[in-house]
Amino acid sequence: MKAEIIKGVIALNKNYKLTFEEYFKNGSSNWEIIETNEVVKNKPKAKNETVPAFVSNSDEKFREKVVVKNIKENVSFEDSKLIIKAVEHEDGYAGGAVRYTGRKFGKGLIEVKAKFPKNMPGVWPKMFLKVANKNAFGNVEFAQVKGLVNKGKLFYSLYAYFTDENGLHRNEYLHSGFQRWPSYYPPLENEEKLGEDWYVFGYEQTDIDGIFYVNGEEIMRFDIDHPMFVVFAGEGELNIRLDINRPRTEACDENTILPCQMEVEYIKFYEEV
């Protein structure tokens, strides 16, 4: 499938119609600000896990716990943009998070034009669709995080929360741009680190595929009708976050310049007619 950029929008060789657009002219309408204040303690390393749950900037010392905090003061709607900040806080650090409550997004093409902050230790900007499918919840995610796993690159991932018959949850990374799993898929790493420019992030869901785009270029495709990935076949809730000092990121250090922010200019959704 070919894709090309026309004024910042992915134009596909399909009969798509624009059915939703958000330019933040109405402020916070239909956007819920998410606040968190959670102390997360380290856990034993899982089998075959290559990095500890909480990463420091040293191979010899790891954080025993982290405070995951998002506060409403870090979210604003200014000049027809969504702005989310990460700052130093009385507990250490705090980020911001929102989710869209006006509708969900399924088959079709969703585009988000966004600008991430400079890639720094501890700073984790991300956008994802959270899809609920029977006894499982799956996230389709774009993110950039400087950590020991992906070394600061853009990554795009699929991970799912499965609930078994006893109501227990387990979290599995099913596929991502840096883990290259399962192995029968082609290499998918994007060597480019995002700059502090505007990018159009796109995700398309069809009957058979899920496809990731950056600035109109296809960077990942998976078989959404495969039993392994069928959890992602459905409508998802859009979440946009700027997390800081979370598990699986390097600890903030002298190279982490705060405050910093991510900006979102628009969200568009196209459906086939």
Side-chain angles (χ1 to χ4, degrees), residues 8 13 20 23-24 30 36 47 65 95 101 106 116 121-122 124 142 163 190 218-219 222 224 240 244-246 260 270:
N13 295 332
F20 171 86
Y23 281 93
F24 305 103
N30 290 322
T36 61
K47 184 179 181 181
K65 66 179 182 179
T101 60
F116 285 176
W124 192 349
F142 274 106
T163 305
N190 185 339
E218 179 182 322
I219 58 173
F222 65 98
I224 203 166
I240 302 175
I244 185 166
N245 208 43
R246 286 185 63 92
C260 66
Y270 302 83

Side-chain angles (χ1 to χ4, degrees), residues 85-175:
K85 296 181 179 180
V87 301
E88 293 188 67
H89 195 266
E90 58 187 12
D91 292 331
Y93 305 96
V98 297
R99 59 174 164 242
Y100 188 72
T101 60
R103 62 164 294 169
K104 294 184 178 180
F105 303 93
K107 289 182 181 178
L109 171 68
I110 185 170
E111 292 183 329
V112 181
K113 186 176 180 181
K115 180 191 291 186
F116 285 176
K118 179 181 178 181
N119 187 247
M120 298 178 287
V123 178
W124 192 349
K126 59 183 177 179
M127 304 172 291
F128 59 91
L129 289 177
K130 186 176 184 65
V131 181
N133 194 334
K134 294 184 179 179
N135 66 335
F137 300 88
N139 284 4
V140 178
E141 176 178 310
F142 274 106
Q144 178 173 257
V145 56
K146 185 173 177 58
L148 298 184
V149 178
N150 57 358
K151 300 178 182 177
K153 299 173 185 175
L154 162 71
F155 74 86
Y156 25 92
S157 64
L158 306 171
Y159 59 96
Y161 298 85
F162 293 91
T163 305
D164 63 21
E165 62 275 8
N166 298 316
L168 299 176
H169 295 271
R170 74 179 192 272
N171 182 14
E172 291 190 2
Y173 275 89
L174 298 179
H175 193 67

Side-chain angles (χ1 to χ4, degrees), residues 170-228:
R170 74 179 192 272
N171 182 14
E172 291 190 2
Y173 275 89
L174 298 179
H175 193 67
S176 77
F178 59 83
Q179 290 174 308
R180 298 186 181 184
W181 192 92
S183 60
Y184 54 80
Y185 274 74
L188 292 168
E189 284 203 42
N190 185 339
E191 297 295 333
E192 179 184 5
K193 295 182 181 180
L194 292 180
E196 296 175 77
D197 298 321
W198 289 97
Y199 292 85
V200 178
F201 299 91
Y203 173 69
E204 182 184 15
Q205 181 185 148
T206 71
D207 290 332
I208 59 174
D209 288 318
I211 310 164
F212 289 78
Y213 301 91
V214 174
N215 283 350
E217 178 185 357
E218 179 182 322
I219 58 173
M220 172 176 161
R221 179 186 294 250
F222 65 98
D223 302 328
I224 203 166
D225 59 345
H226 189 284
M228 184 182 297

